[in-house]
């Protein structure tokens, strides 16, 4: 506050989750944790020692952050051995939990879980060549889905040269 005569008294009206850091002083903070998305109007009134008042009407707009999938660094970049299991760890951020996961790709890959913040995609290759899987993340708020695709190459097993002698 500038002007007027201290001490200053503050009041807030609006959503019950929004509170003031103090009821008096030259500077205050309004803060809280919204239970849902939407627009929440509130009013702050400051009164000085002489009874003069100023009213400030505001609106807080709460939005759900977009869904994102992290874990690109765990996607194999080198050729994978056909006999070695692979595992790619991914995690969801943003949106609103609970999360749901869906996997599209080779039948030999599976999700560790269909829900939760972090999951792994793992399996033992069932063939050689390039393979791609796509994990899709959805949330409880209906936020637009996030996808993560991983392409990797599985080597082919070359039979060893066998020489038979002495027959």
């Amino acid at each position: 506050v500038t002007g007027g005569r201290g001490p200053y008294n503050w009041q807030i009206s609006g959503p019950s989750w929004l509170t003031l850091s103090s009821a008096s002083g030259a500077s205050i903070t309004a803060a809280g944790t919204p239970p849902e998305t939407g627009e929440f109007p509130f009013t702050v009134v400051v009164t000085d020692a002489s009874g003069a008042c100023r009213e400030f009407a505001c609106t807080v707009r709460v939005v759900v952050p977009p869904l994102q999938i992290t874990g690109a660094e765990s996607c194999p970049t080198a050729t994978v051995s056909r006999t070695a299991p692979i595992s790619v760890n991914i995690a969801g951020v943003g949106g609103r939990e609970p999360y749901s996961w869906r996997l599209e790709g080779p039948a030999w890959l599976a999700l560790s879980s269909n829900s939760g913040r972090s999951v792994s995609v793992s399996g033992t290759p069932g063939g050689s060549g390039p393979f791609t899987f796509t994990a899709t993340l959805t949330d409880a708020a209906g936020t637009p889905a996030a996808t993560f695709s991983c392409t990797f190459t599985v080597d082919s097993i070359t039979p060893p040269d066998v020489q038979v002698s002495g027959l």
Side-chain angles (χ1 to χ4, degrees):
V1 171
T2 58
R5 281 189 330 191
Y8 302 100
N9 293 309
W10 298 86
Q11 294 179 338
I12 189 168
S13 61
S16 60
W17 52 264
L18 191 60
T19 60
L20 296 176
S21 57
S22 175
S24 62
S27 176
I28 56 101
T29 300
T33 302
E36 60 191 357
T37 59
E39 292 191 0
F40 301 94
F42 67 96
T43 303
V44 176
V45 177
V46 61
T47 306
D48 74 1
S50 68
C53 293
R54 289 283 189 226
E55 184 174 297
F56 305 93
C58 301
T59 299
V60 173
R61 185 175 194 201
V62 179
V63 297
V64 175
L67 281 172
Q68 296 178 10
I69 299 174
T70 62
E73 66 280 354
S74 65
C75 186
T77 55
T79 299
V80 176
S81 169
R82 185 172 177 183
T83 59
I86 68 161
S87 183
V88 177
N89 299 315
I90 54 178
V93 295
R96 182 179 298 146
E97 293 186 58
Y99 295 142
S100 295
W101 295 89
R102 189 178 77 244
L103 179 67
E104 294 175 18
W108 50 267
L109 285 174
L111 282 169
S112 60
S113 175
N114 290 327
S115 61
R117 183 175 289 267
S118 299
V119 298
S120 61
V121 177
S122 58
T124 301
S128 60
F131 292 96
T132 299
F133 73 81
T134 300
T136 302
L137 174 65
T138 57
D139 73 347
T143 307
T147 58
F148 171 83
S149 291
C150 175
T151 300
F152 53 93
T153 301
V154 176
D155 68 3
S156 59
I157 298 176
T158 305
D161 283 337
V162 177
Q163 295 180 354
V164 178
S165 60
L167 293 176

